[in-house]
């Protein structure tokens, strides 16, 4: 899918008290910091210096301009010198873009034999940024606070994580999740309030009759199918029984569905979609291979009508663009109660090959539910390494993000009879604690898994969205988690 260019505005706070020469230096220092950030090559956006702000009017004007710039996905604010924070109130009340408060100082170390009052006045973020932090807290502004010298690579890591989430947030606001069929009958956790979702996250949930997809499938030419099957043959291994005969017939049907699905998603300008195995009227098979390949191309996906997970997969894929690792729709399937415990993760078909360790293999097997023909799918095992599994649940009046840090490991043995793509992971701190914590949180069986992102990205996401976030990690203890949930309930309401 087409990728847009974004920017983040870098705005510096000061005041006129110090005189023109000091302000010229503040301005020059700010430009050096911005140039260094851009030169680091760590950000998916250009950081644009928007000037040194010295008055209520200048601040308001800079923020109105940031609001108005469609390419601007966030603002970084730094109080180089003391900037009396009442000046910021009017502007901050208008600012609608995500904020990162960079608490840095131009010079990294104190020059012991040289330091005088001029130096002190040009290196006083220590009190300027505290004044600013006060007003941000008092106005209850959502933001990220990053502390450290601007040339420190850890500081770059934190800014980079946030800037990725700013892009994801921007694109999620514009995402259209297209549903083919409704949520699976009677399932609670995948359902929710689509109006509240649009209010909270900005994405729209639309409905496309599955008949429109079926009609599109009927229009696909045999030539187009043959070309796509050749692409499959170049990209994947094929199971022996899929190289010809009935197996190949089903692979061709899967290719036909993929071509039609891409066409319909483009027609609707959708960046995420859901399917439902119980609502495939007019289709030969559940779109498995198609869902896998569309996810690889950046589409969000949720099975059984799970539009919240489809949107989250999409947001996480945008945040992860260009990073090593992959992001996929996933489902908790089978437990392995041995040692710290582990979970076999899979789905009926729809796991994204971006997380595959080896070349995926095209296979065709019966599905057992849905009453359709045998669907084609890519079978593989996920790479080993750390990742995060995340979900958003609708608690009725609000949303909760739940994140579990996990460690993907190699399955203990071959899985010759398992006909689906899979990951095998140990959730932190261990299976018993993590599963209990997840259940206390009311988490889904579906997740968005990413080996490209870390909890920091999701923490930034929750902060920008203004929703509760619970992290299940190496420190999690069930008693503490239950208290956190109760305290959060007092804060957010039920
Ligand atoms: Mn499912």
């Amino acid at each position: 899918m087409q990728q847009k260019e974004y920017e983040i505005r870098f705005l510096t706070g000061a005041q006129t008290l110090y005189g023109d020469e000091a302000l010229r230096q503040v301005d020059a220092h700010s430009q050096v910091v911005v140039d260094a950030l851009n030169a680091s090559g760590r950000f998916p956006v250009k950081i644009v210096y928007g000037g040194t702000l010295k008055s209520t009017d200048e601040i308001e004007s800079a923020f109105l301009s940031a609001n108005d710039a469609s390419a601007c996905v966030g603002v970084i604010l730094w109080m180089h010198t003391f900037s009396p924070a009442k000046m910021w109130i009017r502007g901050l009340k208008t600012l609608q873009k995500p904020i990162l408060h960079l608490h840095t100082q131009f010079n990294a170390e104190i020059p012991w034999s040289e330091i005088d009052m001029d130096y002190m006045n040009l290196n006083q973020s220590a009190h300027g940024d505290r004044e600013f932090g006060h007003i941000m807290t008092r106005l209850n502004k959502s933001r990220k606070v990053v502390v450290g010298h601007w040339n420190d690579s850890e500081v770059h890591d934190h800014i980079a994580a946030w800037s990725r989430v700013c892009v994801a947030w921007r694109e999620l606001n514009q995402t259209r999740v297209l549903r083919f069929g409704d949520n699976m009958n009677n399932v609670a956790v995948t359902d929710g309030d689509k109006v509240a979702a649009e209010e909270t996250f900005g994405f729209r949930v639309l409905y496309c009759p599955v008949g429109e997809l079926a009609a599109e499938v009927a229009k696909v030419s045999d030539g187009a199918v043959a070309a796509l099957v050749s692409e499959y043959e170049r990209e994947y291994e094929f199971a022996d029984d899929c190289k010809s005969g009935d197996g190949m017939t089903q692979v061709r049907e899967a290719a036909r569905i993929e071509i039609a699905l891409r066409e319909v998603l483009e027609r609707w300008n959708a960046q995420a979609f859901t399917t439902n195995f119980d609502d495939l009227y007019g289709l030969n098979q559940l779109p498995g291979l198609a869902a896998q390949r569309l996810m690889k191309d950046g589409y969000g996906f949720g099975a059984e009508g799970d539009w919240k997970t489809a949107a989250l997969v999409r947001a996480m894929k945008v945040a992860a663009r260009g990073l090593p690792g992959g992001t996929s729709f996933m489902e908790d399937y089978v437990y392995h109660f041995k040692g710290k415990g582990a979970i076999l993760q899979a789905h009926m078909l729809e796991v994204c090959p971006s997380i595959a360790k080896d070349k995926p293999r095209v296979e065709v097997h019966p599905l057992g539910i849905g009453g359709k023909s045998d669907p084609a799918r890519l079978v593989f095992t996920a790479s080993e390494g750390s990742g995060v599994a995340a979900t958003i649940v609708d608690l009725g009046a609000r949303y909760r993000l739940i994140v579990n840090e996990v460690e993907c490991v190699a399955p203990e043995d071959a899985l010759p009879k398992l006909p689906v793509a899979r990951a095998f992971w140990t959730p932190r701190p261990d299976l018993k604690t993590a599963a209990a914590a997840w259940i206390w949180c009311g988490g889904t069986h579906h997740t968005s898994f990413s080996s490209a992102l870390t909890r920091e990205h999701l923490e930034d996401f929750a902060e920008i969205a203004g929703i509760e976030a619970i992290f299940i990690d190496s420190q999690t203890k069930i008693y503490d988690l239950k208290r956190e949930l109760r305290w959060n309930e007092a804060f957010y309401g039920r």
Side-chain angles (χ1 to χ4, degrees):
M1 279 184 288
Q2 207 177 353
Q3 292 179 21
K4 296 180 188 125
E5 300 277 309
Y6 297 105
E7 66 176 48
I8 280 171
R9 298 270 171 99
F10 187 106
L11 299 162
T12 305
Q15 61 177 326
T16 53
L17 182 72
Y18 308 103
D20 289 346
E21 179 48 31
L23 285 170
R24 266 192 292 279
Q25 290 194 54
V26 169
D27 206 45
H29 288 171
S30 301
Q31 192 64 61
V32 168
V33 172
V34 169
D35 290 346
L37 292 176
N38 282 319
S40 76
R42 304 281 291 282
F43 310 108
V45 295
K46 188 166 193 279
I47 298 175
V48 176
Y49 178 45
T52 300
L53 308 177
K54 306 169 294 294
S55 70
T56 306
D57 288 343
E58 283 180 11
I59 291 163
E60 183 185 37
S61 164
F63 285 165
L64 290 174
S65 163
N67 285 344
D68 197 41
S70 66
C72 174
V73 293
V75 294
I76 296 174
L77 303 171
W78 171 40
M79 302 305 117
H80 184 297
T81 50
F82 198 80
S83 181
K86 286 190 210 168
M87 294 195 310
W88 291 79
I89 293 172
R90 198 208 298 163
L92 284 171
K93 284 171 79 175
T94 69
L95 183 60
Q96 289 157 2
K97 299 285 163 99
I99 303 169
L100 184 144
H101 180 185
L102 177 60
H103 183 38
T104 191
Q105 175 180 285
F106 189 70
N107 292 294
E109 294 179 27
I110 293 173
W112 301 104
S113 61
E114 300 288 322
I115 188 165
D116 57 12
M117 278 319 291
D118 286 344
Y119 186 97
M120 297 277 274
N121 282 336
L122 275 171
N123 289 277
Q124 55 166 318
S125 317
H127 72 264
D129 272 329
R130 282 164 207 253
E131 164 76 357
F132 185 64
H134 168 76
I135 205 66
M136 296 276 273
T137 291
R138 177 145 177 184
L139 295 179
N140 197 21
K141 291 299 282 188
S142 168
R143 80 278 200 188
K144 181 171 191 171
V145 179
V146 175
V147 182
H149 191 253
W150 49 272
N151 224 6
D152 174 349
S153 87
E154 278 180 23
V155 167
H156 294 178
D157 287 342
H158 296 311
I159 302 173
W162 172 81
S163 64
R164 289 185 163 279
V165 175
C166 287
V167 172
W169 180 249
R170 170 80 179 148
E171 294 208 4
L172 183 63
N173 283 194
Q174 296 164 326
T175 288
R176 294 154 66 98
V177 182
L178 196 60
R179 304 162 73 218
F180 297 99
D182 201 345
N183 285 66
M184 184 177 168
N185 282 332
N186 294 317
V187 176
V189 78
T190 58
D191 218 330
D193 183 337
K194 298 193 282 296
V195 180
E198 185 161 342
E199 184 189 350
T200 306
F201 303 104
F203 65 79
R204 277 180 282 171
V205 186
L206 305 167
Y207 173 76
C208 176
V210 75
E212 183 175 325
L213 177 57
E216 199 61 41
V217 170
K219 287 189 216 160
V220 176
S221 74
D222 291 344
V225 170
L228 186 55
V229 171
S230 305
E231 190 180 320
Y232 295 170
E233 286 168 343
R234 284 193 300 276
E235 226 171 304
Y236 312 120
E237 306 285 340
F238 269 62
D240 286 342
D241 62 0
C242 292
K243 290 175 179 165
S244 59
D246 292 348
M248 179 47 92
T249 302
Q250 288 306 100
V251 172
R252 284 203 192 95
E253 276 308 308
R256 200 176 291 282
I257 292 172
E258 178 183 334
I259 293 165
L261 190 48
R262 283 182 192 274
E263 176 64 30
V264 173
L265 290 171
E266 279 169 28
R267 182 186 303 153
W268 285 73
N269 187 23
Q271 296 75 31
F273 68 103
T274 69
T275 57
N276 183 339
F277 65 86
D278 243 352
D279 192 349
L280 297 173
Y281 192 82
L283 295 183
N284 156 287
Q285 58 181 276
L286 176 65
L289 184 55
Q292 292 180 293
R293 286 172 48 82
L294 282 156
M295 264 192 276
K296 180 91 188 299
D297 288 349
Y299 283 90
F301 173 78
E304 292 98 53
D306 187 351
W307 49 270
K308 291 195 301 299
T309 304
L312 184 59
V313 169
R314 169 64 184 160
M316 288 171 68
K317 279 184 173 287
V318 174
R321 259 181 210 150
L323 292 176
T327 301
S328 180
F329 174 74
M330 196 56 94
E331 184 169 79
D332 294 291
Y333 240 109
V334 179
Y335 285 146
H336 191 53
F337 285 122
K338 181 181 165 191
K340 289 183 91 177
I343 318 173
L344 184 66
Q345 300 282 327
H347 203 260
M348 286 187 294
L349 307 170
E350 310 93 334
V351 177
C352 178
S354 65
I355 65 169
K357 182 178 182 183
D358 299 310
K359 199 173 191 181
R361 200 157 88 122
V362 175
E363 299 185 19
V364 170
H365 302 279
L367 192 56
I369 51 176
K372 290 286 172 176
S373 299
D374 303 351
R377 79 288 307 273
L378 296 171
V379 178
F380 56 84
T381 300
S383 300
E384 290 125 50
S386 57
V388 284
T391 187
I392 291 171
V393 291
D394 185 337
L395 296 177
R398 64 189 178 86
Y399 292 96
R400 169 181 290 157
L401 175 72
I402 309 160
V403 180
N404 194 179
E405 293 184 341
V406 304
E407 188 70 27
C408 284
V409 294
E412 291 176 12
D413 209 339
L415 296 152
K417 294 185 174 175
L418 188 70
V420 288
R422 78 293 301 231
F424 185 60
W425 71 48
T426 293
R428 291 197 178 113
D430 56 72
L431 172 59
K432 287 179 185 169
T433 309
W438 193 270
I439 283 169
W440 274 109
C441 291
T444 43
H445 50 284
H446 287 167
T447 57
S448 175
F449 164 74
S450 181
S451 57
L453 302 179
T454 65
R455 60 173 289 159
E456 183 173 8
H457 296 96
L458 290 151
E459 193 178 333
D460 290 351
F461 176 85
E463 181 72 27
I464 291 171
I467 60 169
E468 178 191 13
I470 303 284
F471 295 92
I472 303 166
D473 57 25
S474 58
Q475 306 300 312
T476 296
K477 292 187 172 61
I478 294 300
Y479 182 71
D480 292 343
L481 178 117
K482 285 163 68 177
R483 283 198 305 196
E484 184 181 2
L485 292 173
R486 290 188 188 117
W487 289 340
N488 284 358
E489 203 166 282
F491 176 79
Y492 290 100
R494 270 201 70 80

